[in-house]
């Protein structure tokens, strides 16, 4: 594509100028603000700890300004308002403040804070983040290219990466948007005149180089030609030569095989691998193969579909349940079990496969059928070329098929095509003068000698690099129908509005008809693309995107594996989906009578009776530790590191993400509390001394309790009664994958504590019950997170009454999750810039 000839630098300058012109002023308004009555309160009740040189908690009233147009000053006054109103300040050991004085401060300060924030709030012109960009352009053209790794990482405002203030624009963005658009347009354009034939690639391990080398030593071949793997040994892997695809795309994967030397099904991981340097190893899914006896003596064929990249091969790994290993892996509960299998017999490299009695998986053959095309030509091809004639040129030997684009009136044809594309891409009707700039670009490319097809593709790419596409257009205080349609679609399906939503916007029935807006909301909640909402929202809200940020120490947590991590992510996403689909009360966020489990998670959690890799709702006994988000492995892993847990980190996590009550950052002069990685001293002991500091006591009274309650869970989400240590303590030995792993039994876990109001709890379950007894608090927190994600701006002081109204409207039915989402969409914040 000759797009660089129009001058990328000139285009970048134009986009930047447009961005600045369309951005909104974020300075706080300066309402009338009377300090005198407030100063009287502060001098009488607060100055002893926060003035005249005293600055407990890093808060110095002598430096407190009164200009609410300054965001820092505004937030300090909000902090005063909240701490006094909630009774957190002055502290318990200070002289009590008369209720009339508190009420007077609230009456005086609240209107000023509300006015200042209300005048300043509004969604900054918000750029599509990289996932939204990828979803949108792929959906428009009917392609399936993962563009996210090709685009710059997005900034975050707190946990969210779709908040306008954090999403900048640079020359790097523009160049990579151009490359991404070029790749999608190229993928959407048919390379042949006839529909490509669907091919079947068939391969067998017995006919590979690895089969010739390892059959008889580490692999076993059966009389029917199947090759048996007993477990993954590192090398050889389950890579299957001959299964590599020449044409990337979506394929149906068919695997025929059965469980060997097992009376129950064996689970396999199905993934991809490539010889390309730096290539990733995607997991396409997990499935199970039953014994021959379960299928009338015949092998079973399982199927799944996946997007497979160029020259990627199938890789199959068995996951063999070893009860002995798993029981020993949770020895920190005091449970001991020698298991069902002699661990020594697992050393296949020494004993060989012929006499090995353990379970394995026999793979007969693998087939890849595809690429599977949604249509031919693609909808993107039709969108691009339907107003032209595209004919194949005479084919030259050893060259790809070439085509020629023709038209009796190329300018008129280009205008119609670019209008159609712009209307979908820009999410609104596009007037002729706007389309003309792209038509002029098309004509200019023709004049420079470019082909008609190249010129059309260049003009199309320009649309997907324009500010009208990159930024959601929300120019009026009250959003028009098209802006509401875009906001709703990017909220619930993470892409541009579909045809149904565009028709509703064109009819003017979204801004003024709550029933139609609610109908569209319910339709999108039931749309298969709503899975994107669950993934993106959970990744941000619960920080699941960082699940691979740390790797658990294999000396301390040898039972952690890829299947467990895969299942952890699936558990949390399936749980949130279940809450929405069944419209369950918000209390399930912290306490539910079910969990979404498969066999791997159930064994990790010590729950019996769950077989197979499929996640499904499993009823829990009333005394179970599991149920709710806080006991899920993914949440517990991302709130810890690979070696130890911190009550402070987990406490802050619960406050920020579950209660939407982020604590103040520590004063700069106070050092952080670092854990003793040798396990000789628990963080609780260190925190007891830390809280003796006057500057730390108040915040830690709120932060530490949830962190202490979660101490009964280790960094990978397993239950524990004592810490694992690499320092002092009783030696513990476990055997995993044929190797012995040693660590030590550290100090006992203490998961008791007391809330800031003095209410005590004797462990995680009691703490969880205390949270579940506050459904309104949980609903308010979830609504706050949903509104931030939906509108692309942080909620603030003046949003509090509106959030309370949303919560009020769901109170009679128990603050149900789907109801909360629907009320978020109907709220003034959603329909207001």
């Amino acid at each position: 594509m000759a797009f660089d000839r129009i001058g990328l630098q000139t285009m970048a300058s134009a986009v930047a100028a447009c961005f600045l012109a369309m951005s909104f002023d974020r300075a706080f308004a300066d309402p009338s603000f009377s300090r005198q009555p407030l100063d009287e309160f502060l001098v009488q009740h607060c100055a002893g700890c926060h003035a005249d040189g005293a600055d407990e908690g890093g808060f110095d009233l002598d430096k407190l300004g009164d200009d609410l147009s300054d965001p820092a000053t505004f937030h300090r006054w909000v902090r005063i308002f909240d701490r006094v109103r909630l009774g957190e300040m002055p502290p318990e050991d200070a002289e009590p403040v008369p209720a009339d004085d508190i009420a007077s401060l609230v009456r005086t300060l609240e209107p000023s804070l509300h006015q200042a924030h209300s005048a300043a709030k509004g969604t900054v012109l918000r750029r599509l983040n990289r996932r939204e960009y990828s979803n949108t352009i792929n959906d428009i053209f009917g392609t399936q290219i993962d563009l996210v790794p090709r685009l710059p990482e997005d900034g975050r405002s707190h946990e969210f990466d779709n908040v306008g203030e954090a999403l900048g624009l640079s020359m790097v963005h523009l160049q990579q948007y151009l490359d991404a658009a070029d790749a999608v347009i190229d993928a959407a354009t048919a390379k042949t005149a006839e529909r490509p034939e669907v091919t079947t690639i068939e391969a067998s391990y017995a006919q590979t180089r690895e089969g010739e080398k390892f059959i008889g030593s580490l692999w076993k071949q059966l009389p029917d030609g199947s090759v048996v793997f007993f477990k993954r040994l590192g090398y050889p892997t389950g890579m299957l030569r001959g299964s590599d695809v020449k044409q990337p795309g979506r394929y149906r994967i068919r695997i025929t095989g059965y469980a060997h030397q097992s009376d129950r099904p064996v689970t396999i991981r199905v993934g991809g691998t490539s010889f390309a340097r730096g290539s990733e190893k995607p997991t396409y899914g997990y499935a199970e193969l039953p014994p021959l006896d379960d299928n009338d003596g015949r092998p079973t064929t399982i199927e799944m579909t996946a997007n497979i990249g160029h020259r990627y091969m199938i890789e199959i790994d068995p996951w063999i349940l070893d009860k002995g290993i798993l029981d020993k892996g949770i020895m920190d509960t005091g449970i001991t079990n020698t298991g069902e299998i002699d661990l020594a017999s697992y050393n296949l490299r020494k004993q060989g496969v012929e006499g090995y009695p353990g379970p394995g998986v026999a793979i007969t053959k693998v087939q890849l059928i595809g690429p599977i095309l949604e249509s031919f030509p693609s909808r993107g091809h039709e969108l691009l070329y339907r107003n032209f004639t595209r004919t194949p040129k005479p084919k030259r030997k050893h060259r790809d098929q070439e085509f020629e684009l023709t038209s009796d009136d190329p300018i008129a044809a280009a205008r119609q095509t670019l209008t159609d594309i712009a209307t979908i891409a820009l999410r609104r009707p596009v007037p002729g003068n706007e389309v003309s700039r792209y038509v002029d670009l098309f004509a200019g490319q023709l004049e420079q000698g470019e082909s008609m097809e190249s010129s059309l593709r260049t003009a199309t790419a320009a649309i997907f690099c324009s500010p009208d596409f990159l930024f959601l257009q929300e120019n009026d205080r009250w959003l028009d129908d098209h802006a509401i349609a875009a906001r709703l679609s990017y909220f619930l399906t993470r892409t541009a509005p579909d045809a149904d939503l565009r028709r509703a916007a064109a009819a003017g029935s979204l801004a003024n008809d709550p029933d139609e807006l609610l109908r569209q909301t319910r339709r999108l909640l039931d749309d298969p693309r709503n899975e994107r909402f669950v993934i993106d929202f959970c990744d941000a809200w619960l920080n699941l995107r960082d699940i691979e940020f740390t790797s658990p120490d294999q000396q301390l947590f040898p039972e952690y594996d890829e299947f467990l991590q895969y299942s952890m992510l699936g558990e949390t996403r399936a749980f949130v989906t279940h809450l929405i689909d069944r419209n369950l009360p918000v209390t399930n966020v912290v306490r539910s009578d079910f969990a979404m489990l498969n066999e791997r998670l159930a064994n990790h959690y010590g729950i019996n009776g769950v077989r197979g890799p499929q996640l499904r709702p499993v009823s829990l006994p009333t005394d179970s530790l599991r149920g709710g988000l806080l006991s899920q492995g993914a949440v517990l892993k991302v709130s810890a590191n690979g070696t130890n847990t911190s009550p402070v980190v987990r406490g802050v996590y619960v406050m920020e993400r579950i209660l939407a009550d982020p604590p103040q950052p520590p004063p700069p002069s106070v050092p952080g509390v670092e854990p003793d990685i040798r396990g000789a001293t628990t963080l609780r002991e260190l925190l007891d001394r830390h809280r003796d500091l006057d500057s730390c006591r108040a915040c830690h009274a709120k932060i530490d309790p949830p962190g202490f309650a979660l101490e009964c869970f280790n960094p990978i989400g397993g239950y524990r009664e004592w810490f694992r240590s690499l320092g002092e303590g009783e030696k513990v030995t476990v055997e995993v994958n044929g190797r012995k792993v040693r660590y030590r039994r550290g100090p006992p876990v203490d998961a008791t504590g007391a809330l800031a109001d003095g209410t005590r709890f004797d462990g995680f379950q009691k703490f969880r019950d205390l949270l579940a007894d506050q459904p309104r608090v949980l609903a308010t927190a979830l609504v706050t997170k949903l509104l931030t994600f939906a509108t692309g701006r942080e909620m603030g002081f003046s949003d509090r009454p509106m959030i309370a109204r949303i919560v009020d409207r769901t109170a009679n039915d128990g603050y149900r999750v789907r109801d909360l989402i629907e009320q978020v969409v109907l709220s003034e914040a959603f329909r207001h810039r």
Side-chain angles (χ1 to χ4, degrees), residues 144 201 243-254 270-274 282 284 304-315 366-371:
Q144 297 172 335
I201 302 169
S243 65
D244 52 314
V245 304
K246 309 300 188 295
Q247 184 176 348
R250 192 156 188 83
Y251 283 78
R252 181 178 296 108
I253 304 169
R254 295 168 53 91
V270 182
T273 188
S274 169
Y284 303 138
M304 61 179 66
T305 58
N307 292 325
I308 302 180
H310 178 63
R311 305 299 296 186
Y312 264 78
M313 297 169 282
I314 292 297
E315 183 177 69
V366 174
Q367 294 175 310
L368 281 77
I369 304 169

Side-chain angles (χ1 to χ4, degrees), residues 500-749:
D500 194 344
L501 198 51
R502 292 199 302 272
R503 282 192 293 269
S509 57
L510 296 178
N512 300 309
D513 186 351
D515 290 339
E516 176 61 17
L517 183 56
L518 189 58
R519 185 187 79 80
Q520 293 289 345
T521 300
R522 290 170 175 170
R523 181 178 69 84
L524 296 185
L525 281 171
D526 295 332
D527 191 300
R529 295 172 301 168
N530 185 249
E531 179 186 16
R532 298 172 178 173
F533 159 76
V534 172
I535 292 173
D536 290 357
F537 181 64
C538 290
D539 279 4
W541 170 38
L542 301 172
N543 199 34
L544 299 189
R545 60 163 72 92
D546 283 350
I547 192 134
E548 295 183 348
F549 186 73
T550 60
S551 298
D553 189 310
Q554 286 297 295
Q555 188 71 21
L556 287 173
F557 304 102
E559 67 268 39
Y560 191 81
D561 58 28
E562 182 182 358
F563 189 15
L564 181 58
Q565 178 175 294
Y566 181 91
S567 301
M568 285 176 172
L569 286 173
E571 174 191 19
T572 301
R573 292 165 178 168
F575 180 81
V576 172
T577 299
H578 196 73
L579 297 187
I580 296 171
D581 290 347
R582 300 298 178 92
N583 197 19
L584 297 179
V586 75
T587 51
N588 284 270
V589 167
V590 295
R591 183 185 64 195
S592 65
D593 59 4
F594 71 94
M596 305 299 291
L597 301 178
N598 62 8
E599 183 174 11
R600 183 68 187 92
L601 287 167
N603 279 281
H604 186 57
Y605 295 159
I607 297 173
N608 297 321
V610 180
R611 294 289 180 91
Q614 297 81 22
L615 289 162
R616 83 298 302 260
V618 175
S619 296
L620 299 172
T622 55
D623 61 348
S624 175
L625 279 166
R626 305 297 169 172
L629 291 172
L630 294 181
S631 62
Q632 292 178 7
V635 167
L636 293 163
K637 184 180 185 301
V638 299
S639 59
N641 62 35
T643 303
N644 50 50
T645 59
S646 165
V648 176
V649 173
R650 279 185 169 167
V652 169
Y653 181 96
V654 173
M655 290 186 65
E656 285 184 339
R657 299 173 188 272
I658 305 301
L659 303 177
D661 183 20
Q664 293 294 321
S669 60
V670 177
V673 182
E674 296 295 332
D676 175 8
I677 62 173
R678 290 174 56 83
T681 304
T682 67
L683 259 177
R684 178 182 283 267
E685 295 169 326
L686 297 175
L687 284 169
D688 285 342
R689 294 195 292 269
H690 187 74
R691 279 194 305 274
D692 288 340
L693 300 173
D694 291 334
S695 58
C696 303
R697 186 181 303 111
C699 285
H700 279 278
K702 297 176 66 176
I703 295 172
D704 294 349
F708 288 151
L710 292 174
E711 282 288 77
C712 65
F713 299 110
N714 65 30
I716 62 170
Y719 174 69
R720 65 186 177 189
E721 294 176 354
W722 43 269
F723 295 93
R724 299 184 189 183
S725 169
L726 296 178
E728 300 177 355
E730 177 187 350
K731 291 182 180 180
V732 176
T733 301
V734 296
E735 189 164 356
V736 178
N737 291 331
R739 68 183 182 93
K740 290 184 178 180
V741 179
R742 296 179 177 87
Y743 50 80
R744 294 179 182 271
R745 178 174 178 150
V749 168

Side-chain angles (χ1 to χ4, degrees), residues 202-356:
E202 184 169 316
S204 166
Y205 285 100
Q207 299 170 359
T208 64
R209 184 187 312 170
E210 287 77 17
E212 295 175 0
K213 182 176 181 180
F214 294 109
I215 287 175
S217 58
L218 299 177
W219 295 356
K220 180 165 70 173
Q221 187 169 14
L222 302 178
D224 63 4
S226 300
V227 172
V228 179
F229 311 138
F230 291 101
K231 60 184 298 187
R232 181 166 183 170
L233 299 170
Y235 180 76
T237 68
M239 178 188 74
L240 177 57
R241 293 181 191 267
S243 65
D244 52 314
V245 304
K246 309 300 188 295
Q247 184 176 348
R250 192 156 188 83
Y251 283 78
R252 181 178 296 108
I253 304 169
R254 295 168 53 91
I255 299 173
T256 300
Y258 50 92
H260 177 65
Q261 294 180 172
S262 174
D263 59 0
R264 49 159 297 180
V266 170
T267 294
I268 58 172
R269 169 190 170 268
V270 182
T273 188
S274 169
F275 289 125
R277 179 176 298 178
S279 61
E280 297 182 349
K281 301 187 71 170
T283 294
Y284 303 138
Y286 285 82
E288 62 180 2
L289 289 168
L292 289 174
D293 293 343
D294 289 0
N295 196 26
D296 297 328
R298 295 171 297 162
T300 296
T301 298
I302 58 101
E303 288 191 6
M304 61 179 66
T305 58
N307 292 325
I308 302 180
H310 178 63
R311 305 299 296 186
Y312 264 78
M313 297 169 282
I314 292 297
E315 183 177 69
I316 299 174
D317 297 310
W319 180 74
I320 306 296
L321 173 66
D322 181 344
K323 184 174 176 59
I325 292 176
L326 289 176
D327 279 351
K328 290 194 174 186
I330 57 172
M331 279 183 63
D332 33 353
T333 64
I335 299 173
T336 56
N337 191 320
T338 57
E340 299 173 342
I341 301 169
D342 178 10
L343 295 175
S345 68
Y346 264 62
N347 197 334
L348 298 177
R349 295 187 185 277
K350 292 183 178 179
Q351 294 189 359
V353 297
E354 293 304 326
Y356 175 68

Side-chain angles (χ1 to χ4, degrees), residues 400-420:
D400 292 336
Q401 177 68 65
E402 296 179 342
F403 294 84
E404 181 178 17
L405 210 61
T406 58
S407 172
D408 293 337
D409 188 346
I411 299 300
R415 180 175 294 278
Q416 183 60 58
T417 295
L418 294 170
T419 299
D420 293 343

